């Protein structure tokens, strides 16, 4: 069954003004549970807009957003925020970890905010760190870690509350190619162990080809892209 379903999603900025820009013109996209999908888009095509709408940070003008069968379209801002915290994990090009906290705390804090007991939160944080190979960095602050380690911790934080949907915007775009490959493999490993669906925006077509499916956002709509190119 679909973990994420976007149907007829449209988004226009500055509607009716001279600088009107129609970014999404009817996006249809479905991600099944456990599916890892690459999103490829030229710069300015509306990739961020699409990820924000799928992740409940923004709303479409028209169309539907469903996560795990629940229609999120008509929710109040408050309900949408609650749904986002429970259902969606984000990773960006830069880690956005809290600099004054350790790696472990960065993964524990969102769980505490979600009502998880500290002991349980710490156990889960250590398990996640171990899965991506950086458990020995648990007590380090972000500034004491390499870029690749920081991104691994950011993945763990995104998965801390067991979301149904992982959205990543160029998650390895800030890393050198070798590190990027390793960090990407760690991400796939993490995601494979869960039933979540992942939509990962990337310009790296080699990494994209390692995912289950590649879709392309162009001229405001989504099209399948042959895996081989
Ligand atoms: P991408 O992530 O693919 O580069 P974006 O979704 O950030 O694309 O932006 C798509 C288009 O919409 C761009 O032309 C951008 O300038 C415009 N845009 C994005 N956000 C806004 C906004 N808040 N107001 C007006 N225009 C915007
Ligand atoms: P503003 O601060 O203007 O209200 P947003 O709340 O949309 O704007 O946040 C600004 C940016 O921060 C967003 O474009 C998004 O990339 C990021 N962001 C906001 N809230 C979250 C969140 N809960 N999880 C991840 N990223 C977020």
């Amino acid at each position: 069954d679909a973990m994420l379903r976007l149907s007829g999603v449209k988004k226009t900025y500055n509607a009716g003004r001279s600088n009107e820009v129609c970014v999404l013109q009817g996006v249809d996209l479905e991600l099944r549970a456990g599916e890892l999908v690459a999103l490829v888009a030229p710069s300015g095509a509306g990739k961020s807009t699409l990820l924000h709408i799928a992740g409940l940070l923004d709303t479409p003008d028209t169309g539907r957003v469903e996560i795990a069968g629940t229609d999120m379209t008509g929710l109040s801002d408050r309900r949408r925020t609650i749904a986002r915290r429970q259902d969606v994990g984000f990773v960006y090009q830069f880690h956005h970890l809290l600099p004054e906290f350790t790696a472990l705390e960065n993964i524990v804090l969102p769980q505490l905010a979600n009502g998880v007991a500290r002991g349980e939160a710490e156990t889960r944080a250590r398990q996640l760190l171990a899965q991506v190979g950086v458990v020995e960095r648990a007590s380090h602050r972000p500034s004491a870690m390499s870029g690749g380690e920081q991104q691994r911790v950011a993945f763990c934080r995104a998965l801390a509350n067991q979301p149904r949907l992982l959205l990543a915007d160029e998650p390895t775009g800030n890393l050198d190619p070798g590190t990027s490959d390793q960090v990407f493999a760690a991400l796939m490993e993490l995601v494979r162990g869960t039933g979540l669906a992942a939509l990962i925006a990337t310009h790296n077509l080699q990494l994209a080809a390692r995912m289950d499916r590649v879709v392309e956002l162009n001229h405001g709509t989504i099209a399948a892209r042959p895996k081989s190119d």
Side-chain angles (χ1 to χ4, degrees), residues 14 16 26 44 58 106 113 123 127 129 140 148 153 165 169 180 198 203 223 229:
N14 305 316
D58 198 359
N106 267 282
T123 301
Q127 279 168 353
L129 287 169
H140 289 57
V153 176
L165 182 63
D169 196 349
S180 178
H203 289 302
D229 72 4

Side-chain angles (χ1 to χ4, degrees), residues 13-14 21 23 41-50 169:
Y13 292 113
N14 305 316
V21 43
V23 182
S43 180
K47 180 193 66 180
S48 303
T49 301
L50 178 64
D169 196 349

Side-chain angles (χ1 to χ4, degrees), residues 61-178:
D61 299 331
T62 61
R64 229 173 131 91
V65 179
E66 287 169 63
I67 297 180
T70 301
D71 182 7
M72 302 293 182
T73 318
L75 297 185
S76 65
D77 286 356
R78 198 181 72 88
R79 304 280 312 225
R80 195 169 49 251
T81 298
I82 292 169
R84 183 178 72 228
R85 288 191 183 139
Q86 286 178 347
D87 291 347
V88 187
F90 289 93
V91 182
Y92 295 97
Q93 186 168 359
F94 298 96
H95 59 81
H96 296 305
L97 297 170
L98 298 172
E100 68 273 33
F101 290 98
T102 64
L104 188 84
E105 281 297 302
N106 267 282
I107 306 165
V108 164
L109 289 172
Q111 297 183 76
L112 299 183
N114 214 29
V116 178
R118 173 164 282 274
E120 194 183 322
E122 287 186 4
T123 301
R124 175 157 173 79
R126 283 186 197 284
Q127 279 168 353
L128 287 165
L129 287 169
Q131 265 182 285
V132 295
V134 290
V135 73
E136 76 283 1
R137 293 285 182 269
S139 307
H140 289 57
R141 290 188 183 187
S143 58
M145 293 184 281
S146 71
E149 289 169 344
Q150 291 165 348
Q151 276 309 72
R152 288 170 200 247
V153 176
F155 295 147
C156 295
R157 179 188 52 184
L159 297 190
N161 284 321
Q162 295 171 284
R164 298 163 186 276
L165 182 63
L166 176 71
L167 299 172
D169 196 349
E170 293 283 346
T172 62
N174 189 33
L175 305 173
D176 65 67

